[in-house]
Structure formats: C-alpha cells, structure tokens
Amino acid sequence: MSDAYTLLAFGGAIVALVLLIAKFKVHPVATLFVIVTTLGLVLGLGGEKTLKLVTEGFGSTMSSVGLLIIFGCVLGKMLELSGAALRITEEALRWFSGRKIPWAIALASAVVGIPLIADTVVLMLIPVVSAIAMRSGMSMMRLGPILYIGAYVMTSLVPPGPGPLAASALLGVDLGQAMLYGALVGIPGIIVATLYLLTIKTYVAPKAEYVDHLPTPVPVGAAGAAGATDGTSGTDGSGADDAPGTAGSAPAGGTTGAGEADGTDAEAARLPSLPLSLIPIFTPILLIMLDSYAVDLVGEKSSLGGVLHFLGAPLMALFIGCLTALPLFGRDWRRKSTLNDLFEAGLKLAALPLALTGVGGALALIIRDTKVADGAADMIRDMGLSPIIVPFLVAAAICTITGSNILGVMTAAAIMEPLMEGLGISALAVYLACGTGAQIMKHANSSGFWVTTTLSNMTVGQGIRSIGVASALSGVTGFAILYALYATGLV
C-alpha cells in the first residue's frame, strides 16, 4: 500500500470527521467510532484486527485517564452546586471597583474555569454580571464575553478540565507541567482578549429578567451620584459603551446594592467562605506540582518523597480535591444528596469526555499501527512547515468547524500523538499547541457562543464581533507565547 494512498485515506478521514459532526450533526462519539473503524478497514487491517485495535485503544486510554476525568467532573460539580464559584466571583468584585470591574470578572472566570466548563460558568454567573452591568452602565457586549473568555481559555489549557485532562493523558504529558505551562500560555491570551473587549463601544443593556428587580441607578450628574467621580460613567471616553443615565460604578462587591433590594445578602451569607471555596481548586494543583517539581529535590525513595509522590499522583490529588470540597456543604456533607447524588451528577457530566477520550485513544492506535504517522511526518517536513504549527492548525480547524474546544483539543491530541516522534517535537509542546489552537474561534455553531450571546442580550453579529474575535485573539496570543518557548528550547 503506497504512502500516497495512506495519506489520502487519512486526510479523507479527517474531512469526514468534521463533516459528520458539523454539517450532519452526528454525535461526536458515534462519528469517531465510524471514522476509526472505516480507516482501519480502508487501510487493510481487516475487520478482526480493526476491532481488536479499537478495543485495545479504548481500554488502554480509559485505564490511564478514566478515573481522572470522573473525579475532575465531580469536583467541578461540587464547586458549582455548593456556591463556591459564586463566592469566588463576589470576592473578586470586592477587590476591584470602577474601571477595574471587568478585570475582576476575568480573574474570577479564570479561577472558576479551571475545574468548570465555560458554558457552566456563564450560566452560573451571568445574573451577577448583569447586575454589575446595570449598576455600572457598562455594556454586556464587554462584560458577558469577558465572563466567558476567562473560563474558556483555562478550560482549553489547564487540567483538571476534561479537555486538557484527556489531552495530557493521550499525549503522556506530566500533569504538573500541563498545569504550569498551560497557565503560562493561557493567561496572556486572557489579558489580550480582555483588552480587546474593553475597546468595544457598542452599548448592550443586560436582559430585563436579570435586572428588573434591582433599584434604578442614580442618573449621572445627580446629587450624590455614587459613580460620578470614579471615571467609569459615560464621560470615560468610551462613548456609546456606557448606558445613558446610569451611575459610573458598582459599589464594592459589585452586587451589594442589588442584594439590599432583593434579599440576596442573606443568601450571600450562606455561601462558603473564600478560603473554603479556593481550597478544593488549589489543593490538587499544589499536590500535583509538588510531585512534579519537589519530589526530585527530596528524593523519591525518601519517606517524604514517597508521601509526596503518592499524594501528588493525579488520581489521588483529584480525589483529595473532591474530599476537601465536602466542607463547602456544611452539615449537609453527610447527606445522600451530597455523598451520592453529587457523584452521580459528576458521572453524567463525565460521560461524554470519557467516551470521546476512549475512542480518541483508539484512533491514535489505528494511526500508529497503519504507519500513517510516518508518512504524514515526512510530508510535513517536505513542505517546510515548522512542526509546532501542525497541531495548532489541526486543533483550530476542528474547533472552528465543530464549535467545540473540548473536542478540538482532545481529537487533535489523538491525531498528533503518533506523529510526535516523526516530527521531533515534545509531548508538552504538542499539548500546548492543541490547547491554543482549540480556542479558535467561537461562532454560531458553538453552544458556548449561543449561551453567552443570548444571556448577554447580544445579536449574533455582536457575538461574533466580541466572542469570536476575542477567542481568536486568545488562541493566537497563546500560540505566540508557545512559539517563543519552542524556539528557545524551553518546551
């Protein structure tokens, strides 16, 4: 079988994958299974060997990543339902005021977006952001996309989000490195995207359902107007961005005034404290980092090194993260609704990433066994492309066409894993290229785009101009940072 035929079959499989998901709306898991089995048959493996490789690839992938994804999704669900995510957001808003409010939203979104899917972050926090927009006069075309983009970047690059977690497992990347370098590459992308969104001057009011119950803001120029002197009113030079006749800033905390009107102060008092809310997020990160970077210093065979290595193993670290989330529920932590029902909710959330990751592992095994990887690597070298660009473009194409950053990073990782050796690039570099590429770009075929656009009261055109451009900027910025690291030999 010629190399040309093999590469043609592989290219056709990728095109078919995208068309089935994007155009014909076939479920990604079913699509991947059809593509994997068809590719094996077309490349001459035969029915028996094809199914054997599919089973082996699925099983070996699940053995390495299955429980990781489950515990990661359970942890995210616990943070969502306990109110920890809301507490983190409200505390971030207390630290910032006036013009800094958008940066508070970006910070809170990035932190909460580490364990939670971006769509979930928007659904949870859009009422808070809408109240801030009404009281400050800021446009939802700014604040809504900022809320989305922080979580979107982190859930594309930093475990334990299901996409990065699966991609790091498929590529064999150390989880501590994935977290550290994912944040290093992702945070500049969030900053650039936020700076762009702050230049948007079009004013979009929040949805009435989120703000009708709130007190009417004091008109600008009225005696005692709270925001008249803080520089965030309609005179801040941003023109049409600020709502006519609104005060310039929310009070400290962003939502305090609203709470006085509708009784949410009592609800806020029932939220877990900030330290309790942050512990489940940063405990597994710290344990994994200690295993990755501190064990070598103390010696893995020493008593301390052995303990750190055990506790910092990703599986144990994420399980400990789930345990540290139990105090978020107060006395209710012993109830069935917490100990059993929450776990089941996390399992339901994990079902799709688990299935996609398993079939993605089967795809990687088929590619490796049929020698597609060798031919593709030779073709890329002959074209003179920098190897690091390839996984970035693959992930960008899958995300842009299918609308899913999780599918983009996971599928690109499965495709690229067999190619790494031939291309001569490290697993970490491929992982980061997949994560940055998978951010490009959000538009009307994405659930996250529709959730954010609809709940932010924007039109489709406004959503593309804000969310679409911001997501493309975050991905390109992250890749630029990655390329610099790659060119200097740091990844």
Side-chain angles (χ1 to χ4, degrees):
M1 193 173 295
S2 68
D3 288 343
Y5 174 82
T6 301
L7 290 173
L8 185 63
F10 178 58
I14 301 303
V15 172
L17 171 73
V18 171
L19 285 176
L20 286 171
I21 295 173
K23 183 174 179 60
F24 298 104
K25 311 302 180 186
V26 182
H27 194 280
V29 176
T31 299
L32 273 172
F33 179 75
V34 170
I35 294 300
V36 169
T37 52
T38 303
L39 188 61
L41 293 173
V42 168
L43 293 177
L45 295 180
E48 183 177 350
K49 186 173 182 181
T50 296
L51 292 178
K52 181 181 178 182
L53 288 175
V54 169
T55 304
E56 287 180 2
F58 189 94
S60 62
T61 305
M62 283 298 95
S63 67
S64 62
V65 75
L67 284 174
L68 286 175
I69 292 176
I70 289 172
F71 289 151
C73 289
V74 170
L75 176 58
K77 205 67 181 175
M78 295 175 82
L79 291 170
E80 174 190 347
L81 297 181
S82 66
L86 183 58
R87 169 60 75 192
I88 292 168
T89 302
E90 293 197 343
E91 289 299 325
L93 291 168
R94 293 185 201 282
W95 303 339
F96 297 86
S97 62
R99 291 184 179 182
K100 298 177 183 177
I101 284 176
W103 295 103
I105 295 172
L107 173 63
S109 175
V111 173
V112 175
I114 294 174
L116 290 179
I117 296 172
D119 301 32
T120 302
V121 173
V122 173
L123 287 168
M124 286 172 48
L125 300 180
I126 199 69
V128 177
V129 170
S130 297
I132 293 167
M134 192 276 287
R135 294 184 60 79
S136 67
M138 294 183 185
S139 173
M140 284 301 294
M141 195 171 168
R142 286 182 176 183
L143 299 188
I146 288 173
L147 172 64
Y148 179 72
I149 208 72
Y152 178 63
V153 171
M154 299 305 271
T155 201
S156 300
L157 276 166
V158 180
L165 196 59
S168 61
L170 285 167
L171 295 168
V173 177
D174 177 82
L175 212 56
Q177 287 189 324
M179 290 175 172
L180 179 63
Y181 283 91
L184 179 64
V185 167
I187 290 173
I190 296 174
I191 293 172
V192 169
T194 302
L195 287 172
Y196 163 73
L197 291 167
L198 290 177
T199 67
I200 293 177
K201 300 182 183 299
T202 305
Y203 178 75
V204 175
K207 288 177 75 71
E209 63 197 75
Y210 294 130
V211 298
D212 276 351
H213 62 288
L214 302 179
T216 304
V218 180
V220 174
T229 61
D230 69 4
T232 59
S233 68
T235 61
D236 70 352
S238 61
D241 173 72
D242 294 318
T246 57
S249 76
T255 58
T256 304
E260 291 169 357
D262 64 4
T264 56
D265 278 349
E267 180 183 345
R270 291 195 296 269
L271 293 175
S273 67
L274 180 63
L276 277 181
S277 300
L278 291 173
I279 284 172
I281 296 176
F282 290 106
T283 293
I285 293 175
L286 176 61
L287 291 173
I288 291 170
M289 290 293 186
L290 287 173
D291 178 40
S292 297
Y293 298 102
V295 168
D296 290 340
L297 297 177
V298 300
E300 186 175 340
K301 294 185 178 179
S302 67
S303 298
L304 178 59
V307 171
L308 291 177
H309 187 58
F310 173 73
L311 296 178
L315 186 61
M316 182 56 64
L318 283 174
F319 181 69
I320 291 173
C322 294
L323 293 180
T324 60
L326 288 175
L328 296 173
F329 296 89
R331 297 176 182 176
D332 291 337
W333 76 267
R334 305 174 195 171
R335 296 179 181 269
K336 174 181 176 292
S337 59
T338 302
L339 295 176
N340 183 78
D341 297 354
L342 259 180
F343 203 89
E344 288 189 357
L347 282 173
K348 292 177 182 177
L349 186 63
L352 179 59
L354 281 171
L356 283 172
T357 306
V359 184
L363 174 61
L365 192 57
I366 292 282
I367 293 173
R368 187 183 300 111
D369 191 86
T370 54
K371 308 300 182 184
V372 169
D374 298 335
D378 291 340
M379 183 182 70
I380 291 165
R381 281 195 298 268
D382 292 342
M383 292 172 64
L385 290 175
S386 174
I388 195 65
I389 295 176
V390 178
F392 173 79
L393 293 178
V394 171
I398 294 173
C399 178
T400 300
I401 297 171
T402 66
S404 171
N405 62 314
I406 294 176
L407 184 63
V409 67
M410 290 166 58
T411 307
I415 292 170
M416 293 304 304
E417 189 273 333
L419 302 177
M420 288 190 304
E421 185 176 352
L423 292 174
I425 47 180
S426 69
L428 177 60
V430 172
Y431 167 80
L432 295 172
C434 291
T436 52
Q439 297 171 40
I440 301 174
M441 68 173 270
K442 283 299 184 184
H443 59 95
N445 64 347
S446 162
S447 63
F449 175 89
W450 282 112
V451 166
T452 309
T453 299
T454 304
L455 298 185
S456 298
N457 208 24
M458 294 188 292
T459 65
V460 173
Q462 290 170 337
I464 291 174
R465 189 153 62 92
S466 57
I467 301 165
V469 175
S471 62
L473 285 173
S474 69
V476 170
T477 301
F479 183 71
I481 302 295
L482 166 60
Y483 197 88
L485 294 173
Y486 175 75
T488 54
L490 295 176
V491 295

